[in-house]
């Protein structure tokens, strides 16, 4: 049923429909039929919902009193944005001097390192970008400029100036200060949850989370070399040995679009819009500070086993479904990206919110997977099962997990035609967090070890109709959804004002 944002609109609509409040139940069954433009204008059907206390006024009657008889069309060049207007009202001399005075002020405040003009503040100002020029893309070692552009005489794009190019020292901070710096910067650029890990010699040799080669180009091996910056050739992608830290970003995607799968599976899968700002901006930020950012190219060019890096750094817990990992705040509905850097970062630890244990008794994703690709085992195993009778080379031994059939999943998605992704929308943790009951359930799951309530909670998801439904792809249009489809406040504490992210 259509919702209304003011009592005035509700009354108007009921008058329009020719019904009384008592007949409201029937109104939902009546398709509106407009007979002329006045009737159409009186409808609130297309209005976005606003707070309950907002009243609507008549057309052309805003709260600013207006005399339409004297109003003229205006010349848009006559605004305070134009220097001509400064000169007209305050004199040419002052208008001419304004830019130079402002630049001198900023120079002075920067030299004094006044609040808001410190090294990190300037890095923030210079680094955030809504995207690089169209002829530039983010490659393994940083921006790569289209060959046609450089052949035509265009200069290769390098991002913001490095400290060397600016003639100043690089940023120095403790690993804890640096992690805090990256948390704040990346959150501003759209990241939800950050994690950091060490990539020292020990972890490279014994804890194998770095891939041997690049997924979309098996010929390219991932190797370490004693070089100042990352680079790639047709046979290798190089991580400098000085780059001993890695960053993990987890960006939110749209909860409600996940429930419109499999119909909108492809669109849902690309609903990590913020990555287009986050990735180039993070490259810029590290470059401004004087540090590297390696491996930030396409999703299938990542140097890591993405889920493993997220689980080791406490961004996520593992799940029954090998397609995604689980965050306590937002379930599985996000996208992972990760990079290597030489900025010293304080490592973050793995977490336990009881979610992987919850998967033992849940299995909702497996029960709803149309291809049967997700394990229905009651316990995780060290042994990797054969895939269709053939030993699996898709999985990496060394963890005790539930093992999905990724080949069947991907093939089925292609056969079906819409990218599926139904398991994301079906996951029991794909719930919104506004209702207090969800917080209470999450707390219970986290504090009890294999709580006997877990299977009850899992069934509740079905009972309350959570999950995907073909009809939700059409109902989606009628909701008053959060911007970009996700509620970013679930990762903010005390409205964002609690110190330390
Ligand atoms: S994407 Fe579809 S086929 Fe693949 S695991 Fe998820 S539900 Fe199953
Ligand atoms: S649906 Fe259940 S079993 Fe599957 S990943 Fe989510 S919590 Fe785990």
């Amino acid at each position: 049923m259509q919702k209304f944002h003011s009592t005035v609109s509700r009354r108007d609509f009921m008058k329009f429909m020719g019904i009384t409040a008592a007949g409201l139940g029937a109104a939902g069954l009546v398709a509106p039929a407009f007979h002329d433009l006045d009737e159409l204008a009186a409808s609130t059907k297309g209005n976005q919902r606003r707070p309950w206390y907002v009243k609507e006024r008549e057309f052309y009657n805003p709260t600013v009193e207006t005399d339409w008889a004297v109003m003229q069309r205006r010349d848009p060049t006559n605004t305070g944005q134009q220097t001509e207007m400064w000169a007209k009202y305050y004199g040419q001399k002052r208008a001419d001097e304004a830019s130079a005075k402002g630049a001198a002020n900023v120079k002075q405040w920067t030299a004094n390192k006044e609040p808001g003009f410190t090294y990190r503040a300037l890095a923030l100002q210079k680094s955030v970008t809504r995207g690089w020029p169209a002829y530039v893309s983010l490659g393994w070692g940083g921006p790569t400029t289209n060959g046609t552009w450089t052949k035509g005489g265009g200069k290769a794009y390098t991002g913001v100036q490095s400290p060397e190019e600016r003639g100043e020292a690089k940023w120095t901070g403790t690993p804890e200060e640096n992690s805090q710096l990256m948390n704040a910067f990346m959150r501003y650029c759209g990241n939800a949850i950050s994690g950091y890990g060490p990539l020292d010699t020990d972890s490279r040799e014994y804890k194998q989370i770095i891939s041997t080669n690049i997924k979309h180009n098996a010929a390219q091996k991932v190797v370490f070399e004693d070089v100042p910056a990352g680079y790639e050739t047709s046979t290798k992608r190089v991580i400098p040995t000085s780059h001993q830290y890695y960053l993990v970003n987890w960006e939110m995607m749209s909860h409600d679009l996940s429930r419109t799968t499999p119909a909108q599976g492809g669109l849902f899968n690309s609903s990590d819009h913020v990555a287009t700002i986050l990735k180039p901006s993070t490259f810029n930020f590290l470059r401004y500070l004087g540090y590297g950012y390696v491996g930030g190219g396409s999703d299938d060019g990542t140097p890591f086993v993405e889920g493993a890096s997220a689980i080791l750094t406490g961004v996520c817990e593992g799940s029954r479904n090998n397609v995604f990992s689980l965050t306590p705040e937002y379930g599985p509905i996000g996208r992972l990206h990760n990079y290597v850097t030489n900025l010293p970062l304080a490592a973050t630890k793995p977490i336990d919110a009881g979610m992987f244990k919850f998967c033992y008794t849940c299995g909702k994703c497996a029960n709803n997977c149309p291809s049967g690709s997700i394990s229905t085992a009651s316990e995780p195993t060290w042994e990797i099962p054969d895939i269709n009778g053939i030993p699996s080379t898709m999985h990496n031994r060394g963890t005790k997990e539930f093992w999905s059939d990724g080949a069947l999943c991907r093939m089925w998605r292609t056969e079906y035609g819409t990218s599926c992704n139904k398991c994301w929308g079906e996951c029991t943790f794909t719930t919104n967090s506004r209702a207090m009951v969800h917080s209470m359930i999450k707390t219970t799951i986290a504090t009890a070890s294999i709580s006997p309530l877990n299977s009850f909670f899992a069934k509740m998801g079905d009972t309350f109709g959570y999950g995907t439904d073909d009809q939700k792809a059409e109902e989606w249009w009628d909701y008053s959804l959060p911007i970009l489809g996700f509620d970013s406040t679930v990762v903010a504490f005390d409205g964002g004002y609690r110190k330390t992210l």
Side-chain angles (χ1 to χ4, degrees):
M1 186 187 299
Q2 173 69 45
K3 292 193 168 69
F4 305 93
H5 64 261
S6 76
T7 50
V8 174
S9 299
R10 185 189 297 268
R11 201 164 44 241
D12 285 350
F13 184 75
M14 287 193 295
K15 207 159 58 181
F16 166 67
M17 296 295 290
I19 59 171
T20 63
L24 192 60
L29 305 173
V30 180
F34 303 111
H35 300 107
D36 56 37
L37 283 177
D38 286 342
E39 280 190 3
L40 182 60
S43 166
T44 56
K45 174 81 179 161
N47 288 4
Q48 286 195 335
R49 194 161 183 190
R50 307 294 290 277
W52 63 267
Y53 53 82
V54 176
K55 297 185 284 293
E56 272 186 0
R57 296 166 64 89
E58 294 301 315
F59 282 110
Y60 297 112
N61 183 24
T63 50
V64 174
E65 283 190 53
T66 306
D67 185 347
W68 294 105
V70 301
M71 179 80 68
Q72 302 283 321
R73 291 173 68 191
R74 65 181 283 273
D75 177 351
T77 59
N78 291 342
T79 74
Q81 302 291 317
Q82 271 63 45
T83 51
E84 290 84 354
M85 293 295 109
W86 312 352
K88 176 178 175 180
Y89 296 106
Y90 295 96
Q92 192 65 51
K93 184 169 181 296
R94 186 163 174 205
D96 288 345
E97 290 171 354
S99 296
K101 279 186 176 172
N105 282 342
V106 171
K107 194 173 173 190
Q108 183 66 48
W109 296 330
T110 304
N112 295 346
K113 296 185 171 39
E114 294 192 20
F117 296 89
T118 55
Y119 201 128
R120 65 181 183 178
L122 296 176
L124 172 64
Q125 281 178 27
K126 302 286 183 196
S127 302
V128 180
T129 174
R130 287 179 228 174
W132 284 329
Y135 53 85
V136 176
S137 56
L138 185 58
W140 179 261
T144 53
T145 308
N146 184 307
T148 314
W149 176 263
T150 45
K151 267 192 207 127
K155 222 175 138 204
Y157 186 80
T158 55
V160 296
Q161 284 191 313
S162 67
E164 210 173 24
E165 289 162 345
R166 301 192 308 272
E168 63 178 322
K170 60 163 56 175
W171 162 269
T172 51
T174 65
E176 290 73 22
E177 286 167 344
N178 295 340
S179 291
Q180 179 78 359
L181 191 73
M182 296 309 298
N183 285 344
F185 178 80
M186 294 190 293
R187 181 66 66 81
Y188 175 70
C189 294
N191 187 44
I193 305 171
S194 310
Y196 309 107
L199 198 63
D200 51 18
T201 310
D202 189 48
S203 67
R204 284 174 208 164
E205 291 185 5
Y206 302 112
K207 300 181 180 67
Q208 307 285 349
I209 59 166
I210 285 276
S211 304
T212 55
N213 53 281
I214 290 300
K215 190 163 66 177
H216 75 199
N217 184 354
Q220 280 185 309
K221 304 295 175 207
V222 177
V223 297
F224 294 89
E225 287 182 5
D226 194 10
V227 288
Y231 71 96
E232 69 176 300
T233 68
S234 59
T235 58
K236 63 182 177 181
R237 292 198 178 190
V238 177
I239 298 173
T241 47
S242 60
H243 285 41
Q244 302 212 344
Y245 306 89
Y246 61 95
L247 303 85
V248 180
N249 291 160
W250 192 85
E251 302 123 33
M252 288 174 157
M253 300 200 296
S254 170
H255 252 184
D256 291 282
L257 216 48
S258 81
R259 298 187 182 109
T260 70
T261 58
Q264 292 285 25
L267 182 65
F268 158 70
N269 196 33
S270 56
S271 63
D272 59 328
H273 313 282
V274 297
T276 56
I277 296 174
L278 177 64
K279 283 184 171 188
S281 298
T282 303
F283 170 84
N284 274 349
F285 191 65
L286 284 164
R287 181 174 164 78
Y288 188 97
L289 299 176
Y291 296 90
Y293 169 103
V294 176
S298 63
D299 276 359
D300 55 1
T302 174
F304 290 95
V305 179
E306 287 180 314
S309 66
I311 292 165
L312 284 175
T313 55
V315 170
C316 298
E317 268 195 75
S319 83
R320 173 181 290 274
N321 186 353
N322 298 163
V323 167
F324 54 64
S325 309
L326 298 166
T327 63
E329 295 88 348
Y330 204 62
I333 309 299
R335 180 66 66 89
L336 284 166
H337 291 114
N338 35 35
Y339 331 98
V340 181
T341 184
N342 53 345
L343 176 73
L345 295 162
T348 48
K349 295 176 183 170
I351 56 166
D352 181 358
M355 291 181 292
F356 187 56
K357 278 278 160 69
F358 185 87
C359 287
Y360 286 36
T361 45
C362 175
K364 186 163 180 267
C365 54
N367 294 339
N368 285 281
C369 170
S371 67
S373 300
I374 304 170
S375 168
T376 53
S378 56
E379 296 271 340
T381 60
W382 293 100
E383 295 304 315
I384 299 170
D386 290 349
I387 305 285
N388 204 23
I390 300 167
S392 170
T393 52
M394 290 187 289
H395 298 296
N396 208 12
R397 282 190 307 142
T399 54
K400 189 178 177 187
E401 293 195 51
F402 299 97
W403 303 99
S404 301
D405 180 349
L408 181 60
C409 160
R410 196 74 202 190
M411 187 167 62
W412 192 90
R413 288 163 68 158
T414 306
E415 280 175 346
Y416 185 69
T418 68
S419 238
C420 186
N421 290 316
K422 188 173 167 66
C423 46
W424 300 72
E426 287 294 342
C427 179
T428 303
F429 287 111
T430 303
T431 53
N432 294 336
S433 297
R434 290 283 175 200
M436 192 186 287
V437 64
H438 290 143
S439 299
M440 287 164 53
I441 290 170
K442 284 182 184 177
T443 309
T444 309
I445 290 167
T447 47
S449 66
I450 309 195
S451 159
L453 288 171
N454 278 358
S455 57
F456 171 72
F457 290 146
K459 286 193 186 99
M460 269 173 70
D462 276 334
T463 307
F464 283 94
Y466 296 143
T468 65
D469 177 338
D470 288 347
Q471 198 49 39
K472 286 180 181 171
E474 293 306 319
E475 287 174 4
W476 178 87
W477 294 95
D478 299 328
Y479 296 135
S480 175
L481 293 173
I483 296 164
L484 295 177
F486 51 76
D487 177 4
S488 69
T489 61
V490 300
V491 291
F493 287 87
D494 296 342
Y497 292 98
R498 186 186 296 183
K499 288 202 171 176
T500 305
L501 286 174

